[in-house]
């Protein structure tokens, strides 16, 4: 369906024109393949991740925006956070169960920034070791348990 | 093998298996039921229930006193929204005054949502398609053509998303009123992002009341379950006018029904 490409074009425009604070799309990545983006992220001031730089990878399937994008942290610096696994997978309900087509790359980035900002202790999820060993490459194939929204 | 003899194989990916099974079930449903099915006499439904199933057969005979036809809707968690959408637009094909009133609300609804903080371009995307479908009604297409529009998954799902957004917007705007009906101590916003906006999330009374109220219309639901002798009829909102849409509810699912008198 062409609606996916049309939608991604609009999203890219919005992200370029009006990016959330500390968030920047890697334009070069989107010009290579439209359905795979790299987004640069910087930890917000006054939080545990202040001035740290991270990279997110977005992969969009043909059913986007009806299916959620596949979103993972990438590269050398994976934030140490109770909802982020060391392989970059993120446990965030809007990326699977609570995804809605009215959400966007922008709103996903905002949720991830706010998830990092509200963190009070840098640590990995308790099941990190076993999860990273047994999980599928695609985090959307994990049936997550969203146990704690307050972290 | 003894019951409860559960083994765990660490080399198997259980999540993968569960998800692929889920996909298979969804595919099977999609192959057997159109998004919006054809109109059928209620009698045909009676044949689906075994002779021994006296409760349902009895209730269908009761339903038959008020409704002549049924139009089945695919059971994909969006059946209330899709069924309502089709039945309401179908009724508007023959009611110009009501159409004009509805169109006015539909046009203005976008600004309400943007004012609530939804991003303009996602809302616009869905609103444009929504208004395209509304435009079909204005052109007075035939019922069959309207059915084709609703069976085009791309358009149909966009329409459903927008109806979900209307409900979400209404619940958040009127959160003082609705908060006491929201379960689990959630805020209206949390409830909307978990139970209203995601596709495939099933609808409850609160969704129906919110949609009917937001559009200023009225919905009648015939409840058919295993308790009692006859179908219970509920009208949403309670003090509403003549219902524009009639739905049949069987546990977990809504279909469209047509009343004997109105057509």
């Amino acid at each position: 369906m062409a609606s996916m490409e049309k939608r991604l074009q609009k999203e890219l425009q919005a992200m370029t024109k009006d990016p959330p604070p500390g968030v920047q799309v890697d334009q070069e990545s989107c010009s290579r393949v439209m359905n795979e983006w790299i987004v640069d992220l910087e930890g917000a001031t006054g939080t545990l991740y202040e001035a740290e730089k991270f990279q997110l990878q977005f992969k969009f399937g043909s059913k986007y925006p009806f299916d959620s994008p596949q979103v993972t942290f990438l590269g050398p610096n994976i934030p140490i956070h109770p909802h982020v696994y060391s392989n970059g997978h993120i446990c965030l309900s809007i990326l699977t169960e609570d995804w809605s087509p009215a959400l966007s790359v922008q709103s996903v980035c905002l949720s991830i920034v706010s998830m990092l900002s509200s963190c009070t202790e840098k640590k990995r999820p308790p099941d990190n070791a076993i999860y990273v060993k047994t999980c599928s490459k695609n985090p959307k194939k994990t049936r997550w348990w969203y146990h704690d929204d307050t972290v | 093998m003894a019951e409860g003899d559960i083994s765990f194989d660490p080399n198997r990916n259980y999540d993968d298996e569960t998800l692929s099974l889920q996909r298979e079930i969804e595919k099977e449903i999609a192959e057997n039921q159109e998004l919006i099915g054809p109109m059928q006499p209620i009698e045909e439904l009676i044949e689906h229930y075994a002779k021994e199933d006296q409760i349902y057969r009895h209730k269908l005979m009761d339903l038959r006193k008020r409704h002549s036809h049924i139009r089945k809707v695919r059971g994909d968690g969006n059946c209330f929204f899709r069924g309502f959408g089709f039945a309401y637009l179908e009724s508007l094909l023959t009611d110009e005054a009501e159409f004009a009133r509805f169109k006015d609300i539909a046009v203005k609804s976008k600004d309400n949502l943007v004012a609530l903080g939804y991003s303009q371009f996602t809302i616009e995307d869905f609103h444009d398609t929504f208004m395209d479908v509304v435009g079909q009604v204005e052109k007075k297409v035939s019922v069959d053509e309207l059915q084709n529009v609703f069976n085009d998954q791309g358009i149909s799902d966009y329409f459903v998303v927008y109806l979900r957004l209307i409900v979400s917007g209404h619940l958040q705007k009127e959160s003082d009123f609705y908060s006491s009906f929201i379960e689990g101590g959630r805020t209206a916003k949390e409830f909307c992002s978990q139970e209203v906006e995601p596709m495939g999330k099933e609808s409850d009374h609160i969704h129906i009341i919110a949609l009917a109220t937001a559009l200023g219309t009225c919905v009648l639901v015939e409840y058919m379950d295993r308790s009692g002798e006859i179908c219970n009829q509920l009208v949403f909102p309670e003090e509403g006018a003549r219902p524009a849409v009639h739905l049949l509810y069987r546990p977990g699912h809504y279909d469209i029904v047509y009343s004997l008198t109105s057509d």
Side-chain angles (χ1 to χ4, degrees), chain B residues 22 32 36 41 63 113 135 168 179 182 188-189 233 255 260 263:
Chain B
Q22 212 174 319
N32 289 313
I36 295 287
L63 183 70
L113 288 167
S168 176
S179 60
I182 290 173
K189 184 151 183 50
Q233 299 163 59
D255 290 303
L260 283 170
D263 294 299

Side-chain angles (χ1 to χ4, degrees), chain B residues 18-52:
Chain B
T18 312
L19 285 172
S20 70
L21 197 65
Q22 212 174 319
R23 296 279 168 273
E24 267 172 48
I25 295 169
E26 283 166 8
K27 200 171 148 234
E28 199 182 309
I29 293 173
E31 278 164 4
N32 289 313
Q33 172 62 52
E34 284 179 289
L35 291 169
I36 295 287
M39 227 168 142
Q40 315 167 242
I42 295 260
E43 285 78 6
E44 286 181 21
L45 200 61
I46 300 180
E47 304 310 315
H48 286 280
Y49 290 99
K51 293 244 172 347
E52 302 76 48

